Amino acid sequence: MAPQENNVTDIDPPPPPLPPRRKQSGEVSLASLQVAPAQSRPTTALSSIDIATLSFPDGSRGTFPTTAMRAVSSPVPSASGCATPNQAGLSSASDELTDSMSVMSFAQTLRPPGDLASLVAGEMNRKSRAWNLLRSQSTTVQPFECFDAGAPDDLAGFEYEFDNIPDATAEGANDEQRLSLWKSKMKHYMILSSAGKPIYSRHGDLSLVNSYMGIIQTIISFYEGASNPLLGFTAGNARFVIATEGPLYFVAISRLGESDAQLRGQLEALYMQILSTLTLPTLKNIFVHRPSTDLRKPLEGTESLLSSLADSFSKGSPSALLGALECLKLRKSQRNSINNTFLKMRCDKLLYGLIVAGGKLVSVIRPRKHSLHPSDLQLIFNMLFESGGIRAGGGENWVPLCLPAFNNRGYLYMYVSFFAGNPDSTSAASPAQKERSSSDSLEEQDEVAVVLISPDKESFYDLKEMRDKLAHQLGKNGSLAIVKAAANEGRPRIGAIAPDAQISHFLYKSRANVQFCMSSLEPAFSGLEKMVVRRRLMSLYHQLHASMHIKHSHLKVLHCINEGAASLAWITPVFEFYCIASPNVSREVMTQGANKIIQWAKREEERLFIIGGGVF
Amino acid sequence: MADLAGAPRPSSSVKLVLLGEAAVGKSSLVLRFVNNDFQENKEPTIGAAFLTQKCNLPTRTIKFEIWDTAGQERFASLAPMYYRNAQAALVVYDLTKPTSLVKAKHWVAELQRQASPGIVIALVGNKLDLTNDSGDGEGTDANDSGDARKVSTEEAKTYAEEESLLFFETSAKTGYNVTEVFTAIANAIPETSLKTARGAGASAAAASRAEEQRVNLNGPRDPNAKEGCAC
C-alpha cells in the first residue's frame, strides 16, 4: 500500500516500474497542466468508506459514489479533456515549468485514473446537457449565497455573538433577559479551578454564570474519580469539550461545528495565555498552598487577552486552525536585506527579534539553538494586534511575559514599538487605529511593529537603542517603505494568481515552514457586515480540516459540495491546501484552479514564507 | 510665552513614573497629556509603557520621560525598576474608590523609602468627571446624592500636605487639570536636581539616551509643545 500511495503515477496496466522521482514530477506536473481535471487523484488508500464518512450530514450533495465507480480504470472523458494524466509524449515536453516546482507537491496528486476519475472527473460530473447549460449561467453565484436566499441557517444570530451582555446594573436588563442573551451565544469558553472557583468566562459576568460553572465542575469531578476523565459530551446541538491542565479546568461549548481536536487546541491556547501571564511554577505554587485561591486576582487585567484570543477562534482564525503563521509577502532579496540589517543592529541582550506588519511576520532573527514556536508567536500577535492594551497606549512598551513553548518556567521581557504612519503623527493615528481595530482586526492593519525579546529585565534602554538604530537604518535603505507598501497591498488576490480559477478563497500551508498563506478576504468575506459569511467560510475550512485530520483516515484529497459551497482539500507531505468555490463550480474546474494556485505557491515559496530567517 | 518659542531654552529630561492601583486612569492621564486624547474602556496596560512629552516653562523646557506602569498586583515587583532614579512620580487614585487611595498611600510610602531622596511626588485623584463638582475644582462634599465621589477632597488634601506632596483632582476624560499636574511637577523640580540627574544619578544607559535626545530638543519645536504649560 505504501509504495502505491507515494509513487504510483502511471496507471495504465501493467504498471511500469517506479520511475525516479524527479522524472516523475516532470511528467506529473506537465500532465497536470495540460489535463487539469486529472488532478487531485486520490490515493488508492482512499476507500469508499472514507468518502462516505466525509459527506456532510445536512443533506449535502457531497456524498460520493462508492465502489462501482472506483472500479473503473479507464479514464472518463470530461468536457475539458481526458482525465488520464500520463499521455504519451507528455514527458517530452519542456522541462522549464517543472524545474520550479517541487517534486513532492505533485507526487500525491496523480493517481491511477480509475480512482481519480471517480473523484475528480468521474461520473459525478457527468450531467445532462441541460444541467451544463444551467451551470454555465450560474458561475456568478457566490459561495454561501443560498443563506441570503433563506436557506436554513445554523449561524443565525452570529452577528450578535460578540455583543456584550449588559451588566446587572444596566437599565432594563433583568436576569432572565441576560441569561437568555447568554444562552444565545454560540461559543463559550470557561475556565475554573478544580476546586470549582470561576476564573474566566467569555460571556456574562461571573455572577451570571456562577451556577453553571458549579454544574460543570460537578460533572467534571464526577468523572474525575474514575480513572477515565471526561473529555467531552454533546447536549442538543452544542458540543462540550473539557481540558484539564493541572489545577485548572478549561471548557469550550460550541455550536459552530468545530471538531473536538480543534476545540481542544483552542483551550490549549487559552492555557498558554494563562501560563504566559503567570509561568507554570507560579501557577502550581498558588494552588499547592491554597487550592481554593481565586485566580482572578493574579490574572487581573488579562481578561481582554483571553477574550481577544477566544474571539479570534470564534470568528475563525486560519492561523489557529492550521497551527501556522502568516508572513508578509516580500521579495527574497528584500527580506534578506531586512534580515541582514536586523542582524547587524542586534544588541547583545537580544534573544529574539521580530518585525511584524499587520499581524504578518516580516522578519525574524534568533539564536541558532533556539527557534520560535508558533504558539508563542500566536500569543504575542494576539497581544499586539488583537487586543488594544499595547497598541492603544502609544509609545513604547516593556512587557514581562512567559513564552510557554520556549520555557514555561520564567519570564522574558518584550520591547514593543509601533512605527507611526509618519513620524510626528502618533496622535493623529490613534483614532484611526481605534476605528480599524474595532472593524476588522487582522485584515486592514498595516502598522509595522518591532518586537525585541530579551531575558534581561533591565535591558529596555539597550533594546530601545537597538530599535532606534534599526528604524533609522530601515528607513534609510528603503526597507520600511517596502514593508509598508507590501502590508498595504494586502493578501494576494486569486484574480492575480490564476485569473480564470473559479475559486473564491484558499488556504495554503507549507508544512515544513509551519507557515501559511491565504487569498485576500476582500470583497466577499471582509468587513464587519460580512462577519457571518466569513464565519461560514471558516466553518467550512474547519470541517475540511477536521475531515482531513481524522486519525487513520489517510485521506489525501477531499471534494465536497453542499448547498452553500464547493470545497476541496488536498494534503501532501509538503503542503495542506484548502479552497472554497461556488457550489456550482465543477470538480474539473475547481481542481484546475487549485492546481494553478498550488503551482503559484510553489513558485513564490521564498516570497510567501520565511525560510530559516536570520540566525545568529 | 509665545515669544519665547524662538529662543533656545535650556532643556532637560525628567524621568517621571506613574504608580497606582489598576484602572484608576494612569494611562488615560498620560494619553491626555501626550496626545490630548481619551479612550473609553481602555484596555489595561501590560507591563509598562514609555512615552515622552515636552513641557515648556518660561525659563526652560522639560522633557518628560514617562513610565506608565501597569497597576496590577503582579507587576508590583517590577516597580523599583521604573521609579529608580526617577525625579518625579505621579501617584494616582480613583476618586470613586476609597481602596485606591489606600493603595496610593502605600506607593507614596514606598517611594519615600526607596526612591531618590529628592523625588517630586504628586498625588492625583482622577475621574473627577464622575463627581458632581466636575470641572469646578474643589468644593462640594463627598456625601452629595448622585455623586460617585467616595474620597473627599479634604481627606486627600490633608494627607498630601502631611506628606508634602503636590495634590490635584483631575479628569482624564474631560482633560480638566491634567496639564496642570505636569506643569506643577515641572516647576517643582529644582534646577539643581536637573543638573545632577544626568550625571551620577541616572543609569549609564539612561544617560547616554538622554544625551542622544537632547540633540533633538534644539530642532523645530514639537507641535504638541504649545499645549504645554501656559505659565
Side-chain angles (χ1 to χ4, degrees):
Chain A
M1 190 54 117
Q4 245 178 328
E5 201 174 319
N6 291 318
N7 289 318
V8 175
T9 38
D10 286 356
I11 2 68
D12 294 24
L18 298 179
R21 299 210 79 160
R22 186 73 199 122
K23 181 159 173 270
Q24 175 192 16
S25 90
E27 287 181 31
V28 161
S29 48
L30 281 168
S32 67
L33 284 177
Q34 300 189 5
V35 287
Q39 288 309 321
S40 312
R41 166 157 296 278
T43 71
T44 47
L46 177 61
S47 69
S48 54
I49 293 157
D50 286 325
I51 301 178
T53 49
L54 296 167
S55 61
F56 290 147
D58 51 342
S60 69
R61 288 174 283 159
T63 40
F64 293 108
T66 52
T67 40
M69 210 156 275
R70 298 166 42 78
V72 183
S73 75
S74 61
V76 181
S78 65
S80 55
C82 179
T84 324
N86 57 333
Q87 307 226 311
L90 274 184
S91 55
S92 66
S94 88
D95 253 337
E96 290 161 15
L97 265 170
T98 64
D99 276 345
S100 62
M101 289 171 215
S102 144
V103 181
M104 304 278 278
S105 64
F106 293 100
Q108 304 293 320
T109 65
L110 288 162
R111 292 297 153 205
D115 287 327
L116 180 61
S118 73
L119 185 65
V120 181
E123 298 281 331
M124 277 283 291
N125 281 339
R126 269 232 216 121
K127 297 278 157 50
S128 70
R129 186 168 296 178
W131 173 259
N132 285 334
L133 207 64
L134 193 64
R135 167 171 284 164
S136 71
Q137 298 299 313
S138 59
T139 50
T140 51
V141 174
Q142 292 298 308
F144 312 116
E145 229 175 61
C146 64
F147 295 102
D148 298 336
D153 185 1
D154 48 5
L155 276 183
F158 184 72
E159 55 267 45
Y160 307 114
E161 175 73 12
F162 304 106
D163 294 357
N164 282 330
I165 295 173
D167 288 347
T169 52
E171 278 173 47
N174 61 37
D175 271 7
E176 209 164 303
Q177 284 165 331
R178 293 169 66 224
L179 208 54
S180 82
L181 261 180
W182 183 75
K183 286 178 179 166
S184 73
K185 303 292 182 189
M186 293 178 161
K187 189 80 167 275
H188 289 279
Y189 295 91
M190 294 182 194
I191 306 174
L192 55 157
S193 72
S194 45
K197 281 263 167 78
I199 294 168
Y200 168 82
S201 165
R202 169 60 190 92
H203 299 293
D205 51 52
L206 291 174
S207 67
L208 188 70
V209 300
N210 219 339
S211 53
Y212 292 93
M213 292 257 195
I215 295 170
I216 285 174
Q217 196 259 344
T218 311
I219 296 173
I220 297 172
S221 51
F222 179 77
Y223 286 87
E224 199 90 309
S227 53
N228 192 8
L230 180 64
L231 296 175
F233 58 91
T234 304
N237 57 357
R239 180 69 190 165
F240 289 64
V241 168
I242 291 139
T244 310
E245 302 282 0
L248 304 180
Y249 292 141
F250 293 78
V251 183
I253 306 169
S254 175
R255 286 192 277 138
L256 294 174
E258 293 113 314
S259 74
D260 279 20
Q262 287 160 356
L263 290 170
R264 213 166 282 287
Q266 297 170 5
L267 294 178
E268 173 83 11
L270 295 181
Y271 176 52
M272 289 295 160
Q273 173 56 51
I274 289 182
L275 286 186
S276 168
T277 309
L278 294 177
T279 74
L280 183 60
T282 310
L283 179 67
K284 280 186 169 160
N285 270 338
I286 288 174
F287 284 100
V288 162
H289 296 310
R290 284 185 54 214
S292 64
T293 306
D294 183 352
L295 201 63
R296 276 179 295 172
K297 191 70 191 167
L299 287 177
E300 191 186 3
T302 62
E303 296 87 354
S304 61
L305 294 176
L306 289 168
S307 293
S308 59
L309 209 51
D311 287 357
S312 73
F313 298 145
S314 300
K315 285 175 191 154
S317 151
S319 170
L321 174 67
L322 299 172
L325 288 166
E326 193 176 11
C327 297
L328 187 72
K329 189 175 173 227
L330 280 181
R331 284 178 178 278
K332 191 185 175 191
S333 59
Q334 292 167 345
R335 196 173 328 260
N336 281 343
S337 132
I338 294 172
N339 284 349
N340 291 336
T341 314
F342 210 169
L343 285 171
K344 214 160 63 192
M345 300 297 158
R346 179 175 73 87
C347 75
D348 293 339
K349 304 264 173 79
L350 187 77
L351 177 63
Y352 293 124
L354 314 170
I355 298 176
V356 191
K360 302 189 193 76
L361 209 50
V362 176
S363 166
V364 185
I365 60 171
R366 60 182 176 87
R368 186 165 300 282
K369 55 182 190 294
H370 296 299
S371 57
L372 262 169
H373 197 279
S375 71
D376 286 342
L377 283 172
Q378 184 184 31
L379 295 179
I380 294 175
F381 282 25
N382 177 56
M383 190 183 277
L384 262 53
F385 294 100
E386 298 288 342
S387 91
I390 286 187
R391 203 176 21 166
E396 295 149 90
N397 291 269
W398 189 234
V399 179
L401 90 169
C402 164
L403 295 179
F406 170 75
N407 178 352
N408 61 21
R409 308 191 57 82
Y411 285 108
L412 296 172
Y413 297 84
M414 177 168 82
Y415 169 92
V416 185
S417 145
F418 283 87
F419 288 112
N422 60 63
D424 53 0
S425 70
T426 28
S427 54
S430 51
Q433 284 171 7
K434 227 164 53 185
E435 227 167 80
R436 254 185 248 154
S437 63
S438 63
S439 72
D440 191 351
S441 46
L442 269 181
E443 186 60 1
E444 284 151 14
Q445 286 163 16
D446 50 7
E447 299 113 320
V448 182
V450 175
V451 178
L452 305 173
I453 298 174
S454 165
D456 178 1
K457 73 171 172 182
E458 303 280 353
S459 58
F460 174 83
Y461 291 109
D462 296 287
L463 297 184
K464 179 179 164 56
E465 192 184 342
M466 173 181 168
R467 181 266 183 201
D468 290 346
K469 281 192 209 158
L470 180 67
H472 177 71
Q473 199 60 33
L474 289 178
K476 210 168 76 179
N477 68 18
S479 297
L480 194 57
I482 290 171
V483 168
K484 283 184 176 167
N488 273 330
E489 201 170 297
R491 299 188 172 102
R493 286 159 189 276
I494 289 175
I497 297 167
D500 50 350
Q502 294 181 23
I503 286 175
S504 304
H505 195 261
F506 73 84
L507 301 177
Y508 177 98
K509 173 184 175 182
S510 163
R511 300 177 88 168
N513 296 312
V514 207
Q515 292 162 34
F516 78 99
C517 69
M518 62 192 262
S519 59
S520 172
L521 289 164
E522 288 167 3
F525 306 107
S526 155
L528 204 54
E529 69 287 354
K530 304 279 185 164
M531 190 172 79
V532 182
V533 187
R534 190 162 64 237
R535 177 63 223 186
R536 285 189 214 291
L537 176 76
M538 292 303 162
S539 289
L540 197 44
Y541 280 138
H542 277 78
Q543 286 166 8
L544 280 177
H545 183 271
S547 305
M548 297 305 279
H549 288 84
I550 291 173
K551 265 189 194 155
H552 315 304
S553 75
H554 301 295
L555 198 59
K556 304 294 183 229
V557 180
L558 170 66
H559 177 253
C560 299
I561 303 176
N562 65 16
E563 205 174 2
S567 54
L568 178 73
W570 183 5
I571 297 190
T572 77
V574 172
F575 64 79
E576 294 181 20
F577 178 81
Y578 305 88
C579 67
I580 309 280
S582 142
N584 298 307
V585 174
S586 71
R587 270 185 294 184
E588 296 98 311
V589 174
M590 199 158 176
T591 46
Q592 226 168 334
N595 254 317
K596 285 197 181 131
I597 293 168
I598 286 160
Q599 284 158 17
W600 167 84
K602 278 275 121 195
R603 222 166 37 232
E604 303 275 318
E605 189 174 29
E606 294 191 286
R607 296 179 178 179
L608 291 170
F609 305 119
I610 294 177
I611 298 167
V615 176
F616 56 86
Chain B
M1 97 168 235
D3 51 334
L4 287 168
R9 270 174 289 186
S11 64
S12 33
S13 297
V14 166
K15 180 176 172 184
L16 180 147
V17 62
L18 278 96
L19 297 166
E21 200 176 71
V24 295
K26 297 180 292 299
S27 300
S28 294
L29 283 170
V30 174
L31 193 64
R32 175 61 76 188
F33 176 57
V34 173
N35 285 346
N36 196 19
D37 190 13
F38 179 79
Q39 295 177 2
E40 283 303 334
N41 302 319
K42 194 191 163 298
E43 288 181 30
T45 305
I46 312 168
F50 179 82
L51 299 97
T52 57
Q53 175 66 301
K54 282 180 213 163
C55 181
N56 292 323
L57 300 181
T59 56
R60 56 186 173 165
T61 300
I62 300 282
K63 177 162 183 170
F64 281 115
E65 296 175 358
I66 303 167
W67 274 108
D68 171 24
T69 66
Q72 285 78 20
E73 205 53 52
R74 66 174 179 282
F75 295 115
S77 61
L78 292 173
M81 192 163 89
Y82 302 115
Y83 64 65
R84 190 194 312 141
N85 303 319
Q87 291 129 286
L90 230 73
V91 179
V92 187
Y93 69 96
D94 177 349
L95 287 170
T96 67
K97 200 177 170 202
T99 56
S100 69
L101 180 61
V102 175
K103 184 72 205 173
K105 289 178 180 175
H106 286 149
W107 279 122
V108 170
E110 182 169 338
L111 286 171
Q112 287 171 339
R113 206 168 53 239
Q114 305 200 33
S116 329
I119 190 168
V120 175
I121 305 175
L123 180 69
V124 175
N126 192 30
K127 307 198 185 178
L128 193 64
D129 52 283
L130 297 178
T131 69
N132 278 347
D133 42 13
S134 51
D136 312 326
E138 36 252 293
T140 19
D141 258 340
N143 300 326
D144 278 8
S145 58
D147 187 348
R149 178 193 282 271
K150 297 275 169 52
V151 178
S152 75
T153 308
E154 276 71 50
E155 181 192 352
K157 198 169 188 175
T158 314
Y159 167 73
E161 275 162 10
E162 279 167 16
E163 302 291 335
S164 37
L165 317 172
L166 300 171
F167 175 67
F168 289 89
E169 291 189 340
T170 61
S171 164
K173 187 171 181 174
T174 65
Y176 177 78
N177 244 354
V178 174
T179 315
E180 285 75 1
V181 177
F182 288 89
T183 311
I185 289 174
N187 277 317
I189 290 176
E191 299 261 358
T192 49
S193 102
L194 290 176
K195 289 191 181 98
T196 54
R198 202 168 289 117
S203 70
S208 73
R209 190 175 41 86
E211 287 302 324
E212 238 173 70
Q213 288 174 340
R214 194 153 43 153
V215 177
N216 298 334
L217 295 178
N218 292 328
R221 289 248 166 261
D222 188 306
N224 289 326
K226 60 174 168 291
E227 69 176 4
C229 20
C231 38

